């Protein structure tokens, strides 16, 4: 679709104004209360699991890629490269030992997704995460699409044979991957998608069927830098509001293709952001909706779940009422030093 044609299409959609003239988290919360949203899709990334103690991938100094760089990998991404893995499997197997489900507990954000499901509002959760914390929090597997795979199954990369995941866990948690290789005629790994491998067919099938049905998309804790996952943001209808809960703005529109979030557009009519940690954003949203006690009750089902963070009344008000439109959030900059002037 050309720029002019898409602009005209957006202009027509904007006239319908699914959030009225109010591009705020408050407007989204109000419509949740009113029952407007019945098919919510959550797009989840590594930021969802940070409070569980699992580092994200890209944060400088603390992310997993920084750790891999310190291990001497040519590129930190190589730990997930199917071309690198056969010759150097040790870094990935070390990661498996640390990240195997059961080593970490779900976060308040994971329980929020389950809460959406139990209220009958969740259509699907598409996750980039391989930690399986969504299901550990009690979300049915049928509601989760693990775009990059997880630890639910395993196979041999040479033969394609499915390997019992409990057997794989037994050996990999002891650092004994050689026994598996000798037994099955090749390296064995959990079915986590590597660079150079295709995403599970289930991902494309569910994305094709679910995204057009979505009436609200909540994007949480992701950089939206990896396709095709990042493209899900634009796979919804032009009338579907999109809420980003993240430490920073991501996935903003491409000036060429006019895709992505339109926080800075004069004709933004559906994109809203709550900037900060995922758990803080969830706390504020649940407080506003009167869901906090239910969320805490779910979290109490397991030991070791990170607590809900305290968020001040002032910060809560700012997150809920901040208007997202051109010039509404970007500070003016001093042309001489490049620093914000307000």
């Amino acid at each position: 679709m050309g720029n002019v044609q898409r602009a005209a299409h957006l202009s027509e959609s904007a006239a319908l104004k699914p959030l009225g003239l109010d591009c705020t988290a408050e407007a989204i919360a109000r419509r949740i209360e009113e029952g407007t949203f019945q098919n919510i899709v959550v797009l989840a990334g590594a930021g969802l699991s940070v409070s569980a103690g699992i580092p994200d991938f890209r944060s400088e100094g603390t992310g997993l890629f920084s750790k891999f760089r310190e291990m001497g990998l040519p590129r930190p991404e190589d730990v997930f490269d199917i071309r690198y893995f056969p010759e150097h499997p040790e870094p990935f197997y070390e990661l498996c030992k640390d990240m195997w489900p059961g080593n970490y507990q779900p976060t308040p954000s994971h329980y929020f997704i389950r809460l959406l499901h139990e209220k009958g509002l969740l259509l699907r959760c598409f996750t980039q995460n391989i930690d399986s914390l969504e299901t550990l929090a009690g979300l049915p597997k049928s509601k989760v699409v693990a775009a990059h795979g997880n630890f639910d199954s395993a196979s041999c990369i040479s033969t394609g044979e499915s390997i019992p995941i409990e057997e794989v866990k037994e050996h990999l948690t002891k650092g004994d991957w050689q026994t598996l290789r000798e037994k099955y005629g090749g390296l064995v790994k959990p079915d986590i998608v590597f660079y150079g491998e295709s995403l599970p067919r289930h991902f494309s099938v569910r994305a094709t069927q679910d995204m057009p049905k979505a009436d609200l998309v909540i994007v949480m804790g992701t950089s939206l830098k990896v396709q095709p996952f990042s493209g899900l943001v634009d796979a919804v209808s032009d009338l579907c509001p999109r809420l980003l809960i993240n430490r920073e703005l991501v996935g903003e529109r491409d000036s060429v293709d006019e895709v992505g979030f339109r926080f800075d557009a004069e004709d933004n009519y559906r994109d809203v952001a709550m900037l900060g940690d995922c758990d803080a954003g969830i706390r504020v949203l649940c407080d506003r909706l009167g869901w906090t006690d239910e969320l805490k009750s779910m979290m109490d089902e397991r030991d070791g779940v990170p607590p809900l963070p305290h968020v001040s009344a002032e910060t809560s008000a700012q997150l809920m009422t901040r208007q997202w439109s051109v010039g509404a959030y970007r500070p003016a900059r001093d042309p001489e030093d490049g620093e914000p002037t307000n």
Side-chain angles (χ1 to χ4, degrees), residues 3 22 69 113 122 167 169 177 196 205 209 224 300 311 319 342:
N3 288 355
D22 189 11
R69 194 178 297 115
I113 302 172
L122 181 72
E167 181 181 359
K169 177 182 180 181
W177 54 269
V205 170
Q209 295 179 358
L224 287 180
D300 288 342
V311 182
L319 289 173
N342 59 353

PDB file of all heavy atoms in Angstrom, residues 3 22 69 113 122 167 169 177 196 205 209 224 300 311 319 342:
ATOM      1  N   ASN A   3       2.168   5.244   0.296  1.00  0.00           N
ATOM      2  CA  ASN A   3       2.061   6.182   1.417  1.00  0.00           C
ATOM      3  C   ASN A   3       0.762   6.975   1.359  1.00  0.00           C
ATOM      4  O   ASN A   3       0.070   7.146   2.362  1.00  0.00           O
ATOM      5  CB  ASN A   3       3.246   7.141   1.402  1.00  0.00           C
ATOM      6  CG  ASN A   3       4.534   6.452   1.805  1.00  0.00           C
ATOM      7  OD1 ASN A   3       4.526   5.288   2.173  1.00  0.00           O
ATOM      8  ND2 ASN A   3       5.635   7.173   1.717  1.00  0.00           N
ATOM      9  N   ASP A  22      -9.079  10.698  23.047  1.00  0.00           N
ATOM     10  CA  ASP A  22      -8.373  10.493  24.305  1.00  0.00           C
ATOM     11  C   ASP A  22      -7.400   9.325  24.190  1.00  0.00           C
ATOM     12  O   ASP A  22      -7.727   8.194  24.546  1.00  0.00           O
ATOM     13  CB  ASP A  22      -9.408  10.225  25.405  1.00  0.00           C
ATOM     14  CG  ASP A  22      -8.797  10.219  26.796  1.00  0.00           C
ATOM     15  OD1 ASP A  22      -7.626  10.621  26.927  1.00  0.00           O
ATOM     16  OD2 ASP A  22      -9.492   9.804  27.738  1.00  0.00           O
ATOM     17  N   ARG A  69      28.900 -12.163  25.161  1.00  0.00           N
ATOM     18  CA  ARG A  69      30.075 -11.467  24.616  1.00  0.00           C
ATOM     19  C   ARG A  69      31.274 -11.697  25.527  1.00  0.00           C
ATOM     20  O   ARG A  69      32.399 -11.904  25.065  1.00  0.00           O
ATOM     21  CB  ARG A  69      29.769  -9.977  24.471  1.00  0.00           C
ATOM     22  CG  ARG A  69      30.773  -9.208  23.613  1.00  0.00           C
ATOM     23  CD  ARG A  69      30.375  -7.750  23.469  1.00  0.00           C
ATOM     24  NE  ARG A  69      29.105  -7.597  22.769  1.00  0.00           N
ATOM     25  CZ  ARG A  69      28.004  -7.107  23.318  1.00  0.00           C
ATOM     26  NH1 ARG A  69      28.011  -6.731  24.584  1.00  0.00           N
ATOM     27  NH2 ARG A  69      26.899  -6.996  22.617  1.00  0.00           N
ATOM     28  N   ILE A 113      -1.617 -11.581  32.620  1.00  0.00           N
ATOM     29  CA  ILE A 113      -2.107 -12.217  31.399  1.00  0.00           C
ATOM     30  C   ILE A 113      -3.095 -13.326  31.750  1.00  0.00           C
ATOM     31  O   ILE A 113      -4.148 -13.475  31.121  1.00  0.00           O
ATOM     32  CB  ILE A 113      -0.934 -12.765  30.566  1.00  0.00           C
ATOM     33  CG1 ILE A 113       0.040 -11.637  30.216  1.00  0.00           C
ATOM     34  CG2 ILE A 113      -1.451 -13.420  29.277  1.00  0.00           C
ATOM     35  CD1 ILE A 113       1.324 -12.118  29.558  1.00  0.00           C
ATOM     36  N   LEU A 122      -9.007 -12.586  27.136  1.00  0.00           N
ATOM     37  CA  LEU A 122      -7.784 -12.886  26.388  1.00  0.00           C
ATOM     38  C   LEU A 122      -8.070 -13.803  25.219  1.00  0.00           C
ATOM     39  O   LEU A 122      -8.567 -14.918  25.384  1.00  0.00           O
ATOM     40  CB  LEU A 122      -6.748 -13.545  27.311  1.00  0.00           C
ATOM     41  CG  LEU A 122      -5.406 -13.877  26.651  1.00  0.00           C
ATOM     42  CD1 LEU A 122      -4.605 -12.602  26.386  1.00  0.00           C
ATOM     43  CD2 LEU A 122      -4.593 -14.836  27.521  1.00  0.00           C
ATOM     44  N   GLU A 167      14.122 -36.543  29.801  1.00  0.00           N
ATOM     45  CA  GLU A 167      15.445 -37.134  29.628  1.00  0.00           C
ATOM     46  C   GLU A 167      16.468 -36.063  29.265  1.00  0.00           C
ATOM     47  O   GLU A 167      17.597 -36.063  29.768  1.00  0.00           O
ATOM     48  CB  GLU A 167      15.393 -38.204  28.533  1.00  0.00           C
ATOM     49  CG  GLU A 167      16.737 -38.886  28.298  1.00  0.00           C
ATOM     50  CD  GLU A 167      16.684 -39.921  27.189  1.00  0.00           C
ATOM     51  OE1 GLU A 167      15.595 -40.124  26.605  1.00  0.00           O
ATOM     52  OE2 GLU A 167      17.739 -40.530  26.891  1.00  0.00           O
ATOM     53  N   LYS A 169      16.274 -32.878  30.030  1.00  0.00           N
ATOM     54  CA  LYS A 169      16.502 -32.075  31.224  1.00  0.00           C
ATOM     55  C   LYS A 169      17.476 -32.768  32.170  1.00  0.00           C
ATOM     56  O   LYS A 169      18.401 -32.132  32.712  1.00  0.00           O
ATOM     57  CB  LYS A 169      15.178 -31.813  31.942  1.00  0.00           C
ATOM     58  CG  LYS A 169      15.335 -31.033  33.239  1.00  0.00           C
ATOM     59  CD  LYS A 169      13.989 -30.835  33.935  1.00  0.00           C
ATOM     60  CE  LYS A 169      14.170 -30.063  35.232  1.00  0.00           C
ATOM     61  NZ  LYS A 169      12.874 -29.866  35.941  1.00  0.00           N
ATOM     62  N   TRP A 177      25.712 -33.354  27.885  1.00  0.00           N
ATOM     63  CA  TRP A 177      25.084 -33.378  26.564  1.00  0.00           C
ATOM     64  C   TRP A 177      25.692 -34.440  25.655  1.00  0.00           C
ATOM     65  O   TRP A 177      25.065 -34.882  24.679  1.00  0.00           O
ATOM     66  CB  TRP A 177      25.179 -32.002  25.908  1.00  0.00           C
ATOM     67  CG  TRP A 177      26.575 -31.425  25.831  1.00  0.00           C
ATOM     68  CD1 TRP A 177      27.187 -30.638  26.739  1.00  0.00           C
ATOM     69  CD2 TRP A 177      27.511 -31.598  24.762  1.00  0.00           C
ATOM     70  NE1 TRP A 177      28.461 -30.292  26.325  1.00  0.00           N
ATOM     71  CE2 TRP A 177      28.685 -30.868  25.105  1.00  0.00           C
ATOM     72  CE3 TRP A 177      27.493 -32.297  23.555  1.00  0.00           C
ATOM     73  CZ2 TRP A 177      29.811 -30.821  24.283  1.00  0.00           C
ATOM     74  CZ3 TRP A 177      28.613 -32.240  22.729  1.00  0.00           C
ATOM     75  CH2 TRP A 177      29.756 -31.513  23.098  1.00  0.00           C
ATOM     76  N   GLY A 196      18.249 -19.004  11.593  1.00  0.00           N
ATOM     77  CA  GLY A 196      18.464 -19.973  10.525  1.00  0.00           C
ATOM     78  C   GLY A 196      17.424 -21.075  10.517  1.00  0.00           C
ATOM     79  O   GLY A 196      17.412 -21.901   9.602  1.00  0.00           O
ATOM     80  N   VAL A 205      -0.071 -19.814  11.733  1.00  0.00           N
ATOM     81  CA  VAL A 205      -1.495 -20.160  11.686  1.00  0.00           C
ATOM     82  C   VAL A 205      -2.283 -19.321  12.681  1.00  0.00           C
ATOM     83  O   VAL A 205      -3.308 -18.711  12.342  1.00  0.00           O
ATOM     84  CB  VAL A 205      -1.695 -21.664  11.980  1.00  0.00           C
ATOM     85  CG1 VAL A 205      -3.173 -21.983  12.182  1.00  0.00           C
ATOM     86  CG2 VAL A 205      -1.128 -22.506  10.844  1.00  0.00           C
ATOM     87  N   GLN A 209      -5.036 -16.180  12.021  1.00  0.00           N
ATOM     88  CA  GLN A 209      -6.416 -16.310  12.489  1.00  0.00           C
ATOM     89  C   GLN A 209      -6.765 -15.331  13.602  1.00  0.00           C
ATOM     90  O   GLN A 209      -7.890 -14.820  13.658  1.00  0.00           O
ATOM     91  CB  GLN A 209      -6.666 -17.742  12.960  1.00  0.00           C
ATOM     92  CG  GLN A 209      -6.579 -18.772  11.851  1.00  0.00           C
ATOM     93  CD  GLN A 209      -6.810 -20.190  12.349  1.00  0.00           C
ATOM     94  OE1 GLN A 209      -6.997 -20.424  13.544  1.00  0.00           O
ATOM     95  NE2 GLN A 209      -6.790 -21.151  11.439  1.00  0.00           N
ATOM     96  N   LEU A 224      10.759  -5.173  19.977  1.00  0.00           N
ATOM     97  CA  LEU A 224      10.112  -5.245  18.653  1.00  0.00           C
ATOM     98  C   LEU A 224      11.130  -5.086  17.519  1.00  0.00           C
ATOM     99  O   LEU A 224      10.873  -4.410  16.534  1.00  0.00           O
ATOM    100  CB  LEU A 224       9.015  -4.175  18.530  1.00  0.00           C
ATOM    101  CG  LEU A 224       7.724  -4.426  19.316  1.00  0.00           C
ATOM    102  CD1 LEU A 224       6.725  -3.291  19.097  1.00  0.00           C
ATOM    103  CD2 LEU A 224       7.086  -5.770  18.945  1.00  0.00           C
ATOM    104  N   ASP A 300      -0.187 -15.371  45.092  1.00  0.00           N
ATOM    105  CA  ASP A 300       0.041 -16.071  46.359  1.00  0.00           C
ATOM    106  C   ASP A 300      -0.002 -17.588  46.211  1.00  0.00           C
ATOM    107  O   ASP A 300       0.340 -18.310  47.149  1.00  0.00           O
ATOM    108  CB  ASP A 300      -0.991 -15.637  47.404  1.00  0.00           C
ATOM    109  CG  ASP A 300      -0.748 -14.217  47.905  1.00  0.00           C
ATOM    110  OD1 ASP A 300       0.371 -13.718  47.713  1.00  0.00           O
ATOM    111  OD2 ASP A 300      -1.685 -13.618  48.467  1.00  0.00           O
ATOM    112  N   VAL A 311       3.817   1.914  43.394  1.00  0.00           N
ATOM    113  CA  VAL A 311       3.846   3.019  42.440  1.00  0.00           C
ATOM    114  C   VAL A 311       3.128   4.191  43.087  1.00  0.00           C
ATOM    115  O   VAL A 311       1.995   4.062  43.557  1.00  0.00           O
ATOM    116  CB  VAL A 311       3.162   2.640  41.106  1.00  0.00           C
ATOM    117  CG1 VAL A 311       3.262   3.799  40.111  1.00  0.00           C
ATOM    118  CG2 VAL A 311       3.790   1.381  40.511  1.00  0.00           C
ATOM    119  N   LEU A 319       0.977   8.058  34.350  1.00  0.00           N
ATOM    120  CA  LEU A 319       0.909   6.941  33.409  1.00  0.00           C
ATOM    121  C   LEU A 319      -0.483   6.776  32.817  1.00  0.00           C
ATOM    122  O   LEU A 319      -0.631   6.433  31.637  1.00  0.00           O
ATOM    123  CB  LEU A 319       1.318   5.638  34.111  1.00  0.00           C
ATOM    124  CG  LEU A 319       2.797   5.487  34.458  1.00  0.00           C
ATOM    125  CD1 LEU A 319       3.016   4.231  35.296  1.00  0.00           C
ATOM    126  CD2 LEU A 319       3.641   5.420  33.193  1.00  0.00           C
ATOM    127  N   ASN A 342      13.130  21.207  28.944  1.00  0.00           N
ATOM    128  CA  ASN A 342      12.006  21.253  29.869  1.00  0.00           C
ATOM    129  C   ASN A 342      11.770  19.908  30.496  1.00  0.00           C
ATOM    130  O   ASN A 342      12.528  19.009  30.249  1.00  0.00           O
ATOM    131  CB  ASN A 342      10.727  21.732  29.168  1.00  0.00           C
ATOM    132  CG  ASN A 342      10.341  20.820  28.008  1.00  0.00           C
ATOM    133  OD1 ASN A 342      11.078  19.909  27.632  1.00  0.00           O
ATOM    134  ND2 ASN A 342       9.165  21.072  27.462  1.00  0.00           N
TER     135      ASN A 342
END
